Amino acid sequence: MAGFVKVLSAADLADGVPKVIWFRQREVVLVRLGPEVFAMDNGCPHRAAPLSAGKVDRGELVCPLHGWRIRLADGECRERPGNPHTTYQVRLEGDQVLLAV
């Protein structure tokens, strides 16, 4: 079983608003949707645009440059089926957001 490390307070995440953090020398974007928090690499798999500047729409993060849609739950991208974007396991403990290491 993977270990987890605290990265921020859940109170720092507004619902549906992407937030960037540094995690293991990478930019990771976190998105809270109701009681769940999702995490993935911040760079779009198409042209490395910052996904954190995109919008959240129906459980997907939409790239601000070319509109690529990446599903928050598993990183699946409509434009490259079968080749998901890098996501991270997230756990909530009380008011803390933890990511798997």
Side-chain angles (χ1 to χ4, degrees):
M1 181 177 213
F4 285 80
V5 62
K6 294 177 187 176
V7 292
L8 78 158
S9 168
D12 293 332
L13 293 174
D15 197 62
V17 179
K19 181 175 182 69
V20 175
I21 63 164
W22 279 96
F23 178 69
R24 301 184 79 191
Q25 301 178 338
R26 302 183 78 114
E27 276 192 4
V28 172
V29 61
L30 299 172
V31 177
R32 179 182 203 146
L33 290 179
E36 295 184 278
V37 177
F38 303 94
M40 67 176 60
D41 278 349
N42 190 36
C44 177
H46 178 223
R47 295 274 175 124
L51 291 172
S52 57
K55 66 177 182 170
V56 176
D57 181 44
R58 293 175 285 180
E60 297 174 321
L61 191 48
V62 182
C63 176
L65 289 185
H66 300 106
W68 280 35
R69 301 178 71 88
I70 300 145
R71 196 165 46 215
L72 292 165
D74 59 10
E76 191 63 38
C77 181
R78 292 181 186 191
E79 290 74 16
R80 10 178 266 181
N83 192 9
H85 192 51
T86 302
T87 60
Y88 299 88
Q89 227 182 336
V90 180
R91 179 185 294 169
L92 292 174
E93 286 186 3
D95 186 42
Q96 298 297 309
V97 177
L98 295 84
L99 293 184
V101 290

